[in-house]
Amino acid sequence: MKALIAVLPGDGIGPEVTIEAVACLKAIATRFGHDFTFEEAPVGAVAIETLGDPLPAATLALARRAHAVLFGAIGSPRYADPTLKVRPEQAILGLRRELDLYANLRPVTCFDAVIDASPLKPELLKGVDIMVVRELTGGIYFGEKTRTETRATDLCVYTVTEVERIARLGGKLAQSRGNKLTSVDKANVLETSRLWRSVVTRIMQTEFPSVALDHMYIDAASMHLLRRPADFDVVITENMFGDILTDEASMLPGSLGLCPSASLGAGTSGIYEPIHGSAPDIAGQGIANPYATILSAALLLRYSLGLETEAKTLEAAVVSALTAGVRTADLKPRGPAATTQHAGRAVIERL
Ligand code: IPM
Ligand code: MG
């Protein structure tokens, strides 16, 4: 198959991990006889500094034209000043909104080979395989914002349509997995959550009656995720809760460096990115974990290109590298660790 893949490496460790994921996609193309073209464009702090815009028009145009977008990370301590009007994060938020990628799939899988990397007890982690669906283009992230000298507001808005499409996706995913859906909200306090809960209940009762539905408050969900993670299957939640809950969930596999994501909309295009950030503290040292980005590339093969066998092959190669003990420093606090490049090569050797 022929496909154009937009590569937006971004800031910090973004470029280092993206290079490895692109190399893996090239190896997949060779092995399975595909014709992938890669086109790179600046985004984030690097784009502000070279072109004055975190999301330059040419970058957005490339993202629209491509079959899928492979994204590294954005963010820089140079933009920590809270009074700044132009910030790197505007790029990823703008891309999600412009491409209408309203659903963010964040699989959280515990790999047996690195179970010791988690701060949690191994007996809690056996068989943990959660699919979090985070709503991505609504809620407090995108509502009206105001700020004066003495007061600031962020409006949280959800419409029935926005909740319905997440509920349907959650229902479909649950049917293809363990038939269990947990919807996370804060319906005891927030009006948007009460709307969320009633819409999810209606959609599940009418369209997915065989899926077991459970509602949980975000505070309780944060606790149960650590206390009994194996009980979760598919989780749906609003934008900000999903952002926070998935960083917490990354401690189940043991590192943000093992957590990929896919941002999807109504069509087949999507943005594929690790859930970790730009990690400026370790950028440029060649020690970042590339597995989350490589696993995101596998999701790209699966969801945007419909290449399930290729996706599974890439995922299996990552598991095999982990099993062979190829661990970057985040997975190996003591002793010599694999470099970013070493980990990427280990995956390619196994393809
Ligand atoms: C994420 C990130 C982003 C978000 C930031 C960089 C805007 O934390 O993808 O989880 O909050 O969505
Ligand atoms: Mg986040």
Side-chain angles (χ1 to χ4, degrees):
M1 114 176 270
K2 258 175 102 86
L4 170 63
I5 298 169
V7 181
L8 312 184
D11 307 319
I13 61 171
E16 301 159 48
V17 293
T18 311
I19 285 179
E20 301 306 327
V22 169
C24 289
L25 286 172
K26 287 184 176 159
I28 286 280
T30 307
R31 164 151 175 206
F32 290 89
H34 299 301
D35 180 5
F36 296 162
T37 309
F38 299 88
E39 224 176 288
E40 198 176 306
V43 73
V46 80
I48 298 176
E49 283 144 29
T50 52
L51 299 159
D53 184 350
L55 180 57
T59 301
L60 178 58
L62 169 65
R64 285 192 201 282
R65 203 168 74 236
H67 291 97
V69 179
L70 183 68
F71 194 94
I74 47 167
S76 157
R78 296 192 293 283
Y79 297 85
D81 176 357
T83 63
L84 288 177
K85 290 271 184 302
V86 178
R87 342 180 114 261
E89 289 77 10
Q90 288 159 349
I92 187 65
L93 299 177
L95 274 169
R96 289 169 182 169
R97 190 186 48 231
E98 291 299 319
L99 303 182
D100 202 12
L101 303 173
Y102 57 80
N104 188 208
L105 272 53
R106 297 189 160 190
V108 178
T109 316
C110 286
F111 301 103
D112 285 340
V114 286
I115 224 152
D116 61 293
S118 173
L120 290 157
K121 294 195 183 84
E123 60 267 29
L124 288 176
L125 300 170
K126 271 272 162 236
V128 167
D129 177 14
I130 307 170
M131 177 62 90
V132 181
V133 182
R134 168 189 177 195
E135 199 289 329
L136 204 59
T137 50
I140 199 166
Y141 272 60
F142 290 95
E144 189 200 354
K145 296 178 187 298
T146 69
R147 169 111 175 246
T148 67
E149 283 285 295
T150 52
R151 192 166 179 273
T153 65
D154 295 279
L155 188 64
C156 183
V157 184
Y158 269 107
T159 66
V160 167
T161 315
E162 284 172 329
V163 184
E164 280 176 344
R165 57 193 186 181
I166 295 295
R168 289 202 174 96
L169 180 59
K172 276 193 206 125
L173 284 166
Q175 279 178 334
S176 72
R177 298 167 44 104
N179 248 336
K180 199 165 149 190
L181 182 76
T182 306
S183 175
V184 174
D185 62 36
K186 186 73 184 172
N188 51 344
V189 178
L190 301 177
E191 214 48 58
T192 40
S193 280
R194 288 191 271 269
L195 177 96
W196 180 282
R197 193 175 278 222
S198 57
V199 172
V200 170
T201 304
R202 171 173 57 79
I203 295 290
M204 295 310 292
Q205 276 171 0
T206 54
E207 299 177 29
F208 304 90
S210 66
V211 173
L213 171 66
D214 189 16
H215 297 282
M216 215 179 263
Y217 297 138
I218 179 64
D219 47 355
S222 310
M223 180 270 291
H224 288 301
L225 194 61
L226 302 185
R227 194 173 72 97
R228 46 182 186 88
D231 287 356
F232 290 86
D233 180 8
V234 179
V235 175
I236 58 173
T237 191
E238 64 112 84
N239 203 344
M240 180 138 93
F241 297 160
D243 178 46
I244 300 168
L245 206 58
T246 49
D247 264 36
E248 185 197 7
S250 76
M251 283 300 107
L252 304 170
S255 171
L256 272 168
L258 292 173
C259 297
S261 89
S263 303
L264 307 173
T268 59
S269 183
I271 298 180
Y272 298 85
E273 55 170 321
I275 80 164
H276 64 65
S278 57
D281 52 322
I282 60 161
Q285 300 173 37
I287 59 170
N289 183 342
Y291 291 137
T293 316
I294 296 172
L295 291 168
S296 301
L299 298 180
L300 183 158
L301 294 166
R302 171 171 299 128
Y303 294 118
S304 279
L305 306 185
L307 301 173
E308 181 61 28
T309 306
E310 288 81 341
K312 283 215 173 81
T313 304
L314 186 50
E315 287 165 344
V318 171
V319 172
S320 163
L322 285 171
T323 307
V326 185
R327 294 181 177 211
T328 41
D330 53 312
L331 299 172
K332 196 165 190 281
R334 278 168 297 278
T339 64
T340 309
Q341 221 179 46
H342 179 183
R345 297 250 162 88
V347 175
I348 292 170
E349 273 166 23
R350 290 167 169 80
L351 289 172

